Amino acid sequence: AQSVTQLDSHVSVSEGTPVLLRCNYSSSYSPSLFWYVQHPNKGLQLLLKYTSAATLVKGINGFEAEFKKSETSFHLTKPSAHMSDAAEYFCVVSDWVSSYKLIFGSGTRLLVRP
Amino acid sequence: DGGITQSPKYLFRKEGQNVTLSCEQNLNHDAMYWYRQDPGQGLRLIYYSQIVNDFQKGDIAEGYSVSREKKESFPLTVTSAQKNPTAFYLCASTLRGQNTEAFFGQGTRLTVV
């Protein structure tokens, strides 16, 4: 069975400091993993996806995520937070083998202090 | 440009009425999904469809209905049986296969008045 757990419901950082948003997954087979961002009252935008070609995945807006199979983690990072990064972030695993359901984490709200 | 379009952006419903939310995609995606989002909460799956003329219930299907008569379209009807329909509704689509990301519409905010 597929599942995903986002370990923090809220993360608060100062502008210019690093961001770490944590995600652990469970998958019966090779996982299909994604990070999405949602600004208020908007749809979701893809930040990055894991494709098994590389364990360190680079996304848009300076975000990266590292796939660690031994830890079943796919944490999202950014070296320096910007005020515009304040949003809700979702870690997603896809059940691409059978149902094609998208399984969402509960989300992490990122607050950026000036 | 290819994309996924939801309409309307805002919708108001009176008690006891059915309303239909539109979702159209021109990405040639096989699978389509409807999610409900409540304030401070994640996304909950209402219905999904892998192919035309077939769809499956998600985690919170009660009070909702869908159809998939065309590949491009996946409308969601919120029926009067849905007791608490006020929420933000998101539609998504994806190709089938590993590492294929979902594309999302901009959402419809439904309010019961």
Side-chain angles (χ1 to χ4, degrees), chain B:
Chain B
D1 285 340
I4 181 166
T5 303
Q6 289 186 242
S7 62
K9 189 172 182 179
Y10 299 97
L11 187 56
F12 297 89
R13 191 194 93 169
K14 293 183 179 180
E15 295 276 356
Q17 278 185 338
N18 292 355
V19 290
T20 298
L21 284 59
S22 170
C23 179
E24 304 276 334
Q25 53 98 1
N26 60 4
L27 300 164
N28 200 32
H29 284 175
D30 306 297
M32 297 187 73
Y33 311 81
W34 274 106
Y35 292 90
R36 170 179 172 142
Q37 188 175 32
D38 293 284
Q41 297 189 32
L43 279 69
R44 293 184 288 170
L45 182 64
I46 305 172
Y47 270 97
Y48 64 106
S49 167
Q50 298 180 35
I51 56 173
V52 175
N53 293 322
D54 188 43
F55 48 83
Q56 289 77 38
K57 293 182 179 180
D59 303 316
I60 56 165
E62 185 176 351
Y64 299 96
S65 66
V66 293
S67 63
R68 188 85 187 278
E69 297 176 2
K70 299 186 300 182
K71 189 175 187 179
E72 302 80 17
S73 179
F74 192 42
L76 174 74
T77 297
V78 184
T79 74
S80 57
Q82 170 50 239
K83 297 306 179 188
N84 185 22
T86 295
F88 190 55
Y89 291 87
L90 283 163
C91 180
S93 69
T94 182
L95 288 169
R96 294 195 288 177
Q98 191 179 15
N99 303 325
T100 56
E101 68 268 28
F103 287 74
F104 285 82
Q106 290 299 298
T108 293
R109 183 162 298 283
L110 174 63
T111 304
V112 174
V113 295

Side-chain angles (χ1 to χ4, degrees), chain A residues 32 36 38 41 49-50 100, chain B residues 33 37 97 99 101-102 109:
Chain A
S32 200
Y36 284 86
Q38 184 184 32
N41 298 311
K49 65 179 181 181
Y50 170 66
Y100 295 96
Chain B
Y33 311 81
Q37 188 175 32
N99 303 325
E101 68 268 28
R109 183 162 298 283

